[in-house]
Amino acid sequence: MANGGQALRYNSGQAALTTVVLLLFVSLAIGSGVSAIALKESRISKLNTRAKKSYMLAESGAEDALYRIRKNMDYSATETLTLNNVTAVTTITDIGTNEKKIIAQGDSAQAIRNIHLYLKAGAGASFAYGLQTGNGGLLMENTSRVNGSVYSNGNIVGNNSPAITGDALLAGGSTISGVTVGGTITTGLSPLSMPIDETQLDAWEAEAEAGGVISSPCPYKPADGTSLGPIKINCDLEIDGTKIVTLTGTLWVKGTFHIKNSAQLILDSSFGESSGVVIADNPDNRIDSSIVRVENSAQILGSGAEGSYIMLISRNNAAELGQDKEAIDVKNSSSASIYYAPHGLILIQNNTNLKEATAYRFHLKNSAEITYETGLANPFFSSGPAGGWGITDWREVK
């Protein structure tokens, strides 16, 4: 019996020791697993930090190269930028006679990020909002609508259920009333400059005139199938009926541009992803002339490629001088890509649906609607002042 008790105690002690050993191994395994996970997370965190540093320096390298090219400064085919042990190597390559490719590679301890940037001789612009106004502000009536955001240097006033689906951003002491806003309302911002300066507009007019001048008959009424541009028309231009006119270059109308009924102005397919320009400007009369009128089922169409538009510009300045005259008048089922009147009033009414509009002052009424298209953030115009470079693509690649 005594021997049996000793054996029982021996077996119990052995079982306890085995349990302790097993628990020790389990604890070690769990500890090792937790340590491995923590170590892995630490490595991932450090890698992400290095990758972010690489990306930021690559962006800086690309921006530096872009700045040097646009400002006509000296630069080498390969530029190196180093900051806090992170290096970005930027390579600039000519593609043909009027395109460039910038490749910037950031490297932080083998965490590599690459930026590719493509440039084309010409001009770029940035339309970041569905609608942008100067100090003249925005009046919205009836069920007019902006599907996107609005930036206004002046007041926004609404009557009878108008709506802005995005944000409403107002400069200075500007106010908003009578408009339903789907996003946020921000006030007290800095006034926003117009996206295209006067120098660029002058350059486009000079380019159109260099392509030739049409002085008669006046008003000039091109036949169906006509191609126009680059060209300056020394009087009013009218396109009506079912005519289809192709825009092959920058067009300057020294008077009023009027397209109506089922007529179409189409950008030539050779423009590809680039955009074209039509300017209505009579420097001798920017109050009663220099007007754009688009009505009925008239269509203003790009080349057919994604990101291609025609921008209609009026340099009428009656609104800026305090007069109630339209620089651009769009009504019924008319369609166009971009309307631009930096010193004038744009009136949009009835069943009109546009993609973007920028003006000193706006008036939307009836069921007029602006539906912002994201491709308008940085449209590229195939023509521009000498030495100008527009961005056609900017993205990270693996």
Side-chain angles (χ1 to χ4, degrees):
M1 184 71 181
N3 290 336
Q6 290 178 353
L8 180 60
R9 287 194 297 271
Y10 174 81
N11 291 334
S12 298
Q14 190 175 39
L17 179 62
T18 301
T19 300
V20 169
V21 171
L22 286 174
L23 288 174
L24 177 62
F25 276 111
V26 170
S27 299
L28 289 173
I30 292 173
S32 298
V34 171
S35 298
I37 292 173
L39 185 61
K40 182 179 180 181
E41 291 293 332
S42 176
R43 286 198 298 265
I44 292 174
S45 177
K46 290 179 180 179
L47 179 61
N48 286 338
T49 300
R50 295 200 304 270
K52 288 179 181 178
K53 290 180 179 179
S54 297
Y55 176 79
M56 296 304 296
L57 203 63
E59 282 277 304
S60 298
E63 290 175 1
D64 178 69
L66 174 63
Y67 179 83
R68 290 174 180 275
I69 292 170
R70 281 185 161 174
K71 295 299 181 180
N72 201 26
M73 298 170 64
D74 291 334
Y75 63 88
S76 301
T78 301
E79 299 278 353
T80 301
L81 182 65
T82 301
L83 180 66
N84 294 331
N85 296 321
V86 183
T87 300
V89 178
T90 304
T91 304
I92 305 169
T93 306
D94 290 329
I95 305 174
T97 57
N98 65 343
E99 293 185 66
K100 293 181 183 292
K101 180 180 181 181
I102 299 173
I103 300 175
Q105 183 178 89
D107 185 353
S108 175
Q110 299 301 309
I112 296 173
R113 301 286 288 271
N114 295 286
I115 301 295
H116 282 199
L117 177 60
Y118 291 84
L119 306 178
K120 195 172 184 180
S126 179
F127 297 96
Y129 307 94
L131 189 151
Q132 179 185 337
T133 84
N135 294 339
L138 167 63
L139 172 60
M140 300 179 69
E141 295 186 287
N142 303 329
T143 56
S144 59
R145 184 182 183 91
V146 178
N147 295 311
S149 296
V150 173
Y151 199 115
S152 181
N153 290 350
N155 296 331
I156 299 177
V157 178
N159 295 311
N160 195 17
S161 304
I164 297 170
T165 64
D167 299 330
L169 303 103
L170 296 99
S174 299
T175 61
I176 182 170
S177 61
V179 180
T180 299
V181 178
T184 59
I185 297 174
T186 305
T187 60
L189 299 172
S190 298
L192 191 65
S193 300
M194 291 292 162
I196 303 174
D197 61 31
E198 299 299 307
T199 302
Q200 176 64 76
L201 300 180
D202 290 340
W204 275 329
E205 290 184 358
E207 179 183 290
E209 188 170 26
V213 178
I214 296 174
S215 296
S216 64
C218 285
Y220 182 66
K221 300 180 179 181
D224 182 36
T226 298
S227 294
L228 289 175
I231 199 76
K232 175 185 177 183
I233 297 175
N234 254 337
C235 57
D236 295 346
L237 169 63
E238 296 181 7
I239 307 174
D240 59 7
T242 58
K243 295 175 183 175
I244 299 176
V245 174
T246 301
L247 185 66
T248 52
T250 302
L251 175 61
W252 174 13
V253 179
K254 190 181 178 183
T256 294
F257 170 71
H258 192 182
I259 182 169
K260 59 183 178 180
N261 300 330
S262 298
Q264 297 182 35
L265 180 65
I266 302 175
L267 192 61
D268 190 77
S269 60
S270 63
F271 277 69
E273 296 179 353
S274 299
S275 298
V277 175
V278 175
I279 301 178
D281 178 32
N282 182 356
D284 302 322
N285 186 357
R286 287 177 171 167
I287 294 177
D288 300 310
S289 184
S290 312
I291 297 169
V292 172
R293 300 189 191 281
V294 184
E295 57 183 314
N296 300 334
S297 299
Q299 301 288 306
I300 313 292
L301 305 171
S303 68
E306 184 178 356
S308 177
Y309 311 96
I310 292 178
M311 178 166 61
L312 299 183
I313 302 171
S314 166
R315 299 185 81 171
N316 181 288
N317 63 0
E320 201 169 54
L321 296 175
Q323 300 191 32
D324 193 23
K325 296 180 179 180
E326 295 87 15
I328 298 179
D329 185 4
V330 190
K331 57 187 173 184
N332 301 328
S333 299
S334 307
S335 175
S337 300
I338 310 171
Y339 285 114
Y340 187 66
H343 307 287
L345 164 65
I346 293 183
L347 172 62
I348 304 172
Q349 54 188 319
N350 301 336
N351 296 318
T352 303
N353 196 322
L354 314 177
K355 292 183 174 68
E356 204 282 339
T358 299
Y360 173 80
R361 187 167 133 215
F362 266 100
H363 186 182
L364 273 67
K365 64 180 183 179
N366 301 333
S367 52
E369 192 164 319
I370 293 176
T371 301
Y372 182 70
E373 188 171 293
T374 55
L376 284 162
N378 290 289
F380 174 76
F381 299 93
S382 65
S383 56
W389 292 91
I391 300 170
T392 58
D393 191 19
W394 188 330
R395 56 196 166 96
E396 182 182 9
V397 296
K398 293 183 179 181

